[in-house]
Amino acid sequence: MAKLDASKSGTFKIGGEIEINRLGFGAMRITGKGIWGEPEDRPEALRTLKRVPELGIDFIDTADSYGPDVSEELIHEALFPYEEMLIATKAGFQRTGPGVWKMDGRPEWLRSQALSSCKRLGVKRIDLWQLHRIDPKVPRHAQFAAIKSMIDDGIIRFAGLSEVSVADIEEASEVFPVVSVQNRYNLVDRGSEDVLDYCEANGIGFIPWYPLAAGDLAKEGSILDRIAKKHGAAPSQIALACVLKRSPVMLPIPGTSKVKHLEENVAAVNIELTDDEFALLDREGRTASQAA
């Protein structure tokens, strides 16, 4: 059995300075149902987090709203002091119950939440902080200016955006350097291709969330299924390998609260898709995305 080592995914430098392995870990699923409260199996969630660096993953993505607070607190309990790891977090939502998400981009809220994240994570500065959403109820420039002020005040080192367009990135970049973009993207959800291309052209890390999805392409007899069987892999592993091969700025963050699933995800870095296999999957994925 091939060694499980996320470093085989290649590396990327956030902001041109912080080098990480491209396959990361998303810490949303270590919370309870509806991304609310404590996880159903807290010991297993902690075991999963502790296994993360053992597998060569040195990039974890979380948010103050995951729990809320729970994800950051578990990360601190399991992994502090984060030796040679980048813990990225986000703010821009208020949570009032399971499955309830209310955007809040008020500058005072963003700053207070970033400071609270520092305390929960046990750090003096957040190396990568991302605006979870651009709040349409708050002037955009006010949100971007708040981020710039947090960089200037040393609360955060680098900043990114989530669920944005190319125009959004360009507008924000006039106020602060945008070093990462986190949009939904997977084999069959290709609505952010133009954003990915822009990120690649400008050295911006692209963090696809929900990266394992394959929709109908995962069905028995599909091209994805056939390629998966050829490699002795699960369709989700092939979907992840395809996402990784798509671009050198791609930083997928599949999440789980189970050690077994974490190890299955990391095993995807050992899959070497041929250019022909990638081209087939890419074409099928784009077709499926357009039909959705």
Side-chain angles (χ1 to χ4, degrees):
M1 181 178 177
K3 182 182 178 182
L4 298 178
D5 184 0
S7 69
K8 293 180 181 179
S9 62
T11 63
F12 178 81
K13 287 186 177 181
I14 296 289
E17 296 180 16
I18 306 176
E19 188 170 38
I20 57 171
N21 294 327
R22 289 176 54 217
L23 179 63
F25 177 78
M28 183 174 74
R29 298 294 174 186
I30 59 171
T31 60
K33 187 176 181 180
I35 320 303
W36 184 264
E38 292 283 336
E40 183 177 334
D41 188 341
R42 195 175 195 276
E44 178 67 4
L46 288 170
R47 281 192 292 270
T48 301
L49 283 170
K50 290 176 182 178
R51 187 76 173 117
V52 164
E54 295 174 353
L55 297 174
I57 296 174
D58 54 10
F59 171 48
I60 294 180
D61 174 84
T62 185
D64 64 344
S65 55
Y66 296 165
D69 306 341
V70 173
S71 178
E72 292 179 334
E73 290 167 353
L74 288 173
I75 288 169
H76 179 271
E77 181 177 342
L79 296 171
F80 185 81
Y82 321 119
E83 294 181 12
E84 298 183 1
M85 294 189 76
L86 171 60
I87 310 298
T89 193
K90 303 181 288 294
F93 277 113
Q94 286 200 35
R95 302 294 309 283
T96 56
V100 180
W101 304 77
K102 180 183 177 183
M103 275 188 277
D104 191 341
R106 292 172 300 141
E108 60 270 24
W109 173 258
L110 300 179
R111 176 176 280 257
S112 70
Q113 291 307 103
L115 290 169
S116 294
S117 289
C118 284
K119 291 179 181 178
R120 281 188 293 274
L121 292 169
V123 297
K124 294 181 178 179
R125 179 185 65 181
I126 297 166
D127 282 336
L128 176 59
W129 181 95
Q130 298 162 101
L131 180 62
H132 216 151
R133 295 291 187 275
I134 299 174
D135 187 348
K137 302 185 303 299
V138 178
R140 297 161 67 87
H141 188 272
Q143 297 174 70
F144 300 153
I147 296 171
K148 174 67 161 58
S149 72
M150 288 193 288
I151 295 173
D152 292 343
D153 294 342
I155 299 171
I156 62 179
R157 180 176 177 184
F158 292 118
L161 302 169
S162 180
E163 284 305 302
V164 290
S165 66
V166 170
D168 293 331
I169 302 169
E170 291 179 334
E171 184 178 352
S173 296
E174 294 179 1
V175 183
F176 68 91
V178 176
V179 304
S180 67
V181 168
Q182 187 167 159
N183 281 15
R184 177 167 166 146
Y185 183 99
N186 52 60
L187 183 60
V188 294
D189 189 342
R190 313 295 285 274
S192 290
E193 287 292 341
D194 61 331
V195 175
L196 173 57
D197 289 341
Y198 180 88
C199 287
E200 186 171 333
N202 291 276
I204 297 171
F206 185 90
I207 306 170
W209 60 274
Y210 205 35
L212 302 183
D216 288 344
L217 289 192
K219 288 183 177 179
E220 185 82 20
S222 70
I223 182 64
L224 175 60
D225 179 60
R226 294 198 298 273
I227 291 175
K229 287 176 178 174
K230 176 183 174 183
H231 286 270
S236 61
Q237 292 175 311
I238 298 297
L240 180 54
C242 193
V243 166
L244 277 166
K245 191 174 176 68
R246 169 65 180 82
S247 170
V249 305
M250 191 78 83
L251 310 172
I253 49 167
T256 179
S257 60
K258 307 290 185 183
V259 171
K260 179 182 178 182
H261 294 160
L262 171 65
E263 292 175 345
E264 288 173 354
N265 292 338
V266 176
V269 303
N270 292 321
I271 298 170
E272 295 184 14
L273 296 173
T274 67
D275 290 342
D276 286 344
E277 288 173 334
F278 174 79
L280 279 170
L281 290 166
D282 187 59
R283 184 171 66 246
E284 290 291 319
R286 288 173 187 263
T287 299
S289 179
Q290 292 169 358

